[in-house]
């Protein structure tokens, strides 16, 4: 079986280095808000060409804390893509605001900036741009609309650590960005983790307080914060992994190019990448019309795949309060029915990609 994701080879290759980093933290007997986190924050900020980075407990909290720090809440609206992981919407809901769903561009699956302005009202406070599957959204267009209407721009960069938009690094393209270090992301912790990047000093300080009970001086609380911090163990591991991120992203890019050249059937729609985007290929996602059947037959041929994501946010039970009907976001629903994520992980060989492509080419030509 060729797995859709395997961390094994990546983790084997840095095993000694990671274990020694873990040992160092263990022996230091200091586990929360220490030196490893400070160093990692500095290194990650530099990696993203951002001034500040603030480590938090996970990617959802990164987005949630940015919204909270900007004072967005009850009665406010936040524009997000309809085609994203549910966490983007949950962050908005957690602060008490309403997520406004905007349909994607068919080729890139990212938010269609031409549809954003129609959805701006006098309650709109922010736009969250998601860099889905590792590919940056069209940030210049989004920033232009935001400027015109006085909106905050937040990047959900959970799937795009290291991606470029017009030679500029993701994480420094809006007012602030939220990243996830869930183990399966391009750079993952050994558990949950996340980080906020920003050039806004005031925002950075506010998030530092919010992640730590609303406190910057021990036992002095200026605001009702929460507890969501990136711990020393995770920071130490992420410091090791950050050194390899570019190399791993290059490997993902090589794999994507193999897919591009070996998949040859009009019934397979390949991902589109605009010339200004440099994707880090968190997922390699194709479209096929008879997806369930194709997925099943690939499994029978030893190829594991996944679907990101089978049920769009507006049709989730969790969001039934907004009474969206089936058919109300047509393109999002079409993509949800057709997308298929192929195996993508550093260490995947050209031979394995060849097997996946042969199987997929064959399956779609049989399913006429
Ligand atoms: C993974 C992910 C998140 C949430 O990150 P967690 O660390 O799992 O909380 C948010 N947005 C997107 C687009 C993601 O893929």
């Amino acid at each position: 079986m060729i797995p859709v994701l395997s961390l094994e080879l990546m983790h084997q290759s840095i095993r000694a280095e990671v274990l020694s980093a873990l040992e160092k933290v263990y022996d230091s007997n200091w586990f929360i808000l220490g030196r490893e986190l400070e160093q990692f924050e500095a290194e990650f900020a530099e990696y993203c060409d951002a001034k500040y980075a603030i480590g938090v407990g996970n990617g959802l909290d990164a987005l949630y804390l940015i919204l909270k720090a900007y004072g967005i809440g009850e009665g406010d609206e936040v524009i997000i893509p309809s085609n994203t992981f549910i966490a983007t919407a949950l962050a908005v809901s957690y602060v008490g605001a309403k997520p406004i769903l905007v349909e994607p561009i068919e080729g890139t699956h990212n938010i269609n900036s031409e549809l954003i302005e129609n959805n701006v009202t006098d309650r709109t406070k922010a736009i969250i741009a998601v860099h889905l599957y590792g590919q940056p959204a069209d940030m210049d267009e989004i920033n232009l609309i935001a400027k015109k209407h006085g909106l905050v721009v937040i990047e959900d960069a959970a799937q795009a650590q290291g991606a470029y938009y017009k030679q500029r690094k993701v994480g420094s393209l809006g007012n602030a960005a939220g990243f996830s270090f869930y183990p399966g992301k391009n750079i993952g912790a050994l558990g949950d983790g996340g980080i906020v990047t920003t050039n806004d000093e005031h925002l950075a300080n506010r998030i530092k307080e919010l992640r730590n009970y609303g406190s910057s001086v021990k036992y002095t609380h200026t605001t009702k914060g929460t507890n969501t911090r990136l711990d020393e163990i995770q920071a130490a591991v992420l410091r090791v992994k950050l050194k390899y991120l570019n190399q791993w992203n290059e490997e993902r890019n090589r794999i994507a190019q193999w897919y591009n050249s070996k998949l040859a059937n009009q019934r397979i729609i390949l991902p589109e990448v605009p010339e200004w985007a440099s994707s880090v290929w968190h997922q390699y996602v194709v479209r096929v019309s008879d997806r369930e059947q194709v997925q099943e037959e690939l499994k029978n041929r030893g190829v594991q795949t996944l679907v990101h994501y089978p049920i769009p946010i507006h049709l989730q039970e969790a969001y039934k309060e907004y009474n969206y009907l089936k058919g109300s976001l047509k393109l999002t629903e079409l993509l949800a029915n057709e997308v298929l994520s192929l195996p993508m992980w550093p260490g995947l060989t050209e031979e394995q990609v060849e097997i996946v492509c042969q199987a997929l080419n064959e399956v779609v030509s049989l399913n006429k």
Side-chain angles (χ1 to χ4, degrees):
M1 179 67 94
I2 300 176
V4 69
L5 171 67
S6 169
L7 304 177
E8 201 178 323
L9 292 177
M10 237 189 312
H11 280 177
Q12 258 171 24
S13 72
I14 56 170
R15 188 171 192 278
E17 224 180 323
V18 168
L19 290 186
S20 123
L22 291 174
E23 205 167 56
K24 211 170 99 194
V25 176
Y26 188 79
D27 290 338
S28 79
N29 290 302
W30 190 277
F31 302 107
I32 300 284
L33 297 181
R35 223 186 77 86
E36 293 294 334
L37 179 61
E38 262 175 40
Q39 303 267 339
F40 178 63
E41 286 173 338
E43 288 157 8
F44 196 79
E46 192 188 340
Y47 183 81
C48 296
D49 296 327
K51 280 197 191 136
Y52 309 99
I54 309 98
V56 296
N58 55 68
L60 171 58
D61 280 350
L63 296 171
Y64 158 71
L65 290 182
I66 295 167
L67 292 163
K68 193 163 164 67
Y70 275 120
I72 294 165
E74 210 72 50
D76 295 334
E77 293 178 353
V78 177
I79 291 173
I80 70 167
S82 50
N83 185 40
T84 178
F85 181 53
I86 196 164
T88 318
L90 290 176
V92 177
S93 300
Y94 274 5
V95 295
K98 181 180 181 187
I100 303 295
L101 305 173
V102 171
E103 288 238 89
I105 294 168
E106 188 164 355
T108 66
H109 302 217
N110 270 329
I111 194 166
N112 185 342
S113 52
E114 284 177 16
L115 303 178
I116 290 178
E117 210 154 9
N118 286 343
N119 286 281
V120 174
T121 70
D122 50 11
R123 289 183 296 276
T124 311
K125 290 293 184 308
I127 304 170
I128 304 182
V130 180
H131 307 309
L132 198 69
Y133 307 145
Q135 175 173 166
D138 195 351
M139 294 306 295
D140 281 352
E141 292 301 315
I142 292 166
N143 282 326
L144 215 62
I145 298 161
K147 198 166 172 196
K148 188 167 155 195
H149 297 278
L151 310 176
V152 168
V153 175
I154 300 163
E155 296 171 78
D156 178 343
Q159 303 188 358
Q161 301 92 343
Y164 283 91
Y165 171 78
K166 300 185 180 174
Q167 333 307 328
R168 284 177 284 148
K169 264 283 173 59
V170 150
S172 57
L173 304 171
N175 295 88
F179 289 85
S180 164
F181 300 122
Y182 179 78
K185 307 288 173 162
N186 287 33
I187 170 172
L190 306 182
D192 276 312
I195 205 163
V196 173
T197 56
T198 183
N199 289 325
D200 179 341
E201 186 182 6
H202 178 73
L203 184 83
N205 289 334
R206 179 118 178 92
I207 289 176
K208 269 191 180 171
E209 284 178 2
L210 285 172
R211 74 171 173 186
N212 187 37
Y213 309 113
S215 166
S216 49
V217 177
K218 208 168 173 71
Y219 305 130
T220 303
H221 303 269
T222 48
T223 183
K224 293 188 196 73
T226 181
N227 173 11
T228 179
R229 304 168 298 210
L230 185 65
D231 65 60
E232 289 290 286
I233 291 269
Q234 301 305 345
V237 171
L238 289 164
R239 286 188 70 197
V240 173
K241 284 189 157 189
L242 187 58
K243 293 190 282 180
Y244 298 92
L245 180 56
N246 285 345
Q247 185 185 315
W248 289 333
N249 282 344
E250 279 161 29
E251 216 172 311
R252 286 173 181 273
N253 188 46
R254 209 153 35 209
I255 293 163
Q257 302 321 316
W258 289 334
Y259 277 129
N260 285 342
S261 62
K262 292 175 199 289
L263 289 172
N265 191 301
Q266 287 184 345
R267 291 161 55 89
I268 308 167
I269 302 177
L270 302 185
E272 244 170 57
V273 183
E275 50 29 73
W276 44 256
S278 140
S279 176
V280 289
W281 299 104
H282 176 58
Q283 302 292 349
Y284 187 93
V285 177
V286 298
R287 282 170 60 195
V288 288
S289 52
D290 37 10
R291 201 252 327 275
E292 311 306 327
Q293 204 183 337
V294 169
Q295 189 172 29
E296 183 61 29
E297 284 174 23
L298 283 176
K299 193 174 116 199
N300 295 338
R301 286 166 163 79
V303 176
Q304 192 192 18
T305 56
L306 277 176
V307 172
H308 300 95
Y309 300 91
I311 307 171
I313 293 166
H314 69 284
L315 300 179
Q316 293 283 358
E317 196 182 337
Y319 278 104
K320 63 173 188 262
E321 69 201 273
Y322 298 126
N323 300 310
Y324 277 105
L325 296 176
K326 221 172 172 163
S328 55
L329 295 168
K330 286 205 170 57
L331 183 52
T332 304
E333 291 170 37
L334 177 73
L335 293 177
N337 287 330
E338 296 191 347
V339 288
L340 187 66
S341 305
L342 304 183
M344 172 55 83
W345 36 274
L348 191 67
T349 64
E350 188 169 8
E351 288 68 34
Q352 288 172 309
V353 171
E354 181 70 39
I355 292 169
V356 174
C357 292
Q358 265 182 19
L360 183 54
N361 287 333
E362 194 180 300
V363 164
V364 293
S365 37
L366 292 176
N367 283 354
K368 281 228 164 94

